[in-house]
Amino acid sequence: MFLKELWFYNKKATLFFLLFIAVWVFLNIKQGAVATPILQYGMFSEKYYTGNTQEVIRLYINNKPVDFSKLSMSARDQLQVSLESYLHQQQNNETVFNTMQRIFNRAGIAQWMKKEYYVNTITDKKFTTWYIKLAEKITGEKIFQLSAFQQKYAWQNGQLTAITSPIKLNCIVAF
């Protein structure tokens, strides 16, 4: 019905709309690219299974552990996900570059890609400075010392139990 009414009022807009839909379908089915971040079947088509082992980051501000349960979900994600992403940046740089190169090859424009455009070159010091400002804003306290530890846990008897010793993350520059 929408297309009939649109055709009646504006034939060019109808043709443009149909062309847009055709291009969107082509990109999503034939090229494997995601043209929109929502309403993609691939995002919700499988169950997400967690493994038996989980890596947990413990953050200490001024020698006190941060109680993430007292923070909002978005604040907790900002603190945890940004640190995890920084830890995985080299692997992510390569993955993003290879994915974009594959898509651009199919479109015939890969010769203009430069790897340095897809590489995050932030240093530990710059990240720590930014991260401290973020943590101060979220927690509301002045940070004099910041440290982070990564530890592996496993589900045992219905609860998470530490299976490794905590490892200090050296990307957080101590002061």
Side-chain angles (χ1 to χ4, degrees):
M1 296 304 280
F2 169 73
L3 290 176
K4 277 185 173 181
E5 286 189 35
L6 187 59
W7 181 261
F8 177 74
Y9 288 108
N10 192 337
K11 291 175 179 41
K12 288 182 182 179
T14 306
L15 293 174
F16 178 76
F17 180 73
L18 291 172
L19 179 65
F20 173 77
I21 296 297
V23 169
W24 184 84
V25 168
F26 175 77
L27 285 173
N28 284 283
I29 293 174
K30 296 294 184 186
Q31 298 292 332
V34 177
T36 177
I38 58 172
L39 302 176
Q40 290 293 313
Y41 176 75
M43 290 174 64
F44 309 104
S45 62
E46 295 180 8
K47 289 183 179 179
Y48 178 74
Y49 296 102
T50 59
N52 189 38
T53 304
Q54 303 292 322
E55 285 189 5
V56 176
I57 293 180
R58 300 284 306 184
L59 188 63
Y60 292 84
I61 294 177
N62 301 331
N63 290 324
K64 295 183 293 187
V66 175
D67 186 2
F68 288 106
S69 67
K70 293 184 179 178
L71 299 174
S72 69
M73 290 184 78
S74 62
R76 183 183 67 214
D77 284 350
Q78 286 178 338
L79 288 176
Q80 288 181 322
V81 173
S82 57
L83 184 55
E84 288 171 0
S85 296
Y86 181 73
L87 294 173
H88 299 292
Q89 76 172 337
Q90 292 305 320
Q91 178 185 354
N92 291 345
N93 288 340
E94 203 60 36
T95 302
V96 168
F97 177 74
N98 290 335
T99 301
M100 295 305 294
Q101 187 175 39
R102 183 180 46 124
I103 293 168
F104 287 170
N105 272 336
R106 291 180 182 164
I109 57 175
Q111 65 269 21
W112 294 299
M113 285 184 65
K114 293 184 180 177
K115 193 167 188 168
E116 58 267 16
Y117 294 156
Y118 298 90
V119 175
N120 186 358
T121 57
I122 189 169
T123 63
D124 289 348
K125 186 176 180 177
K126 285 181 183 178
F127 175 76
T128 302
T129 303
W130 172 82
Y131 193 74
I132 287 172
K133 289 177 186 175
L134 175 70
E136 284 178 341
K137 181 180 172 187
I138 289 172
T139 62
E141 68 178 276
K142 181 75 174 151
I143 296 177
F144 300 104
Q145 185 182 21
L146 179 70
S147 57
F149 295 85
Q150 194 168 30
Q151 190 170 14
K152 290 188 180 182
Y153 288 79
W155 282 106
Q156 295 175 350
N157 301 324
Q159 66 181 12
L160 281 176
T161 306
I163 59 173
T164 62
S165 298
I167 300 170
K168 185 168 181 4
L169 298 176
N170 294 327
C171 66
I172 301 292
V173 180
F175 32 109

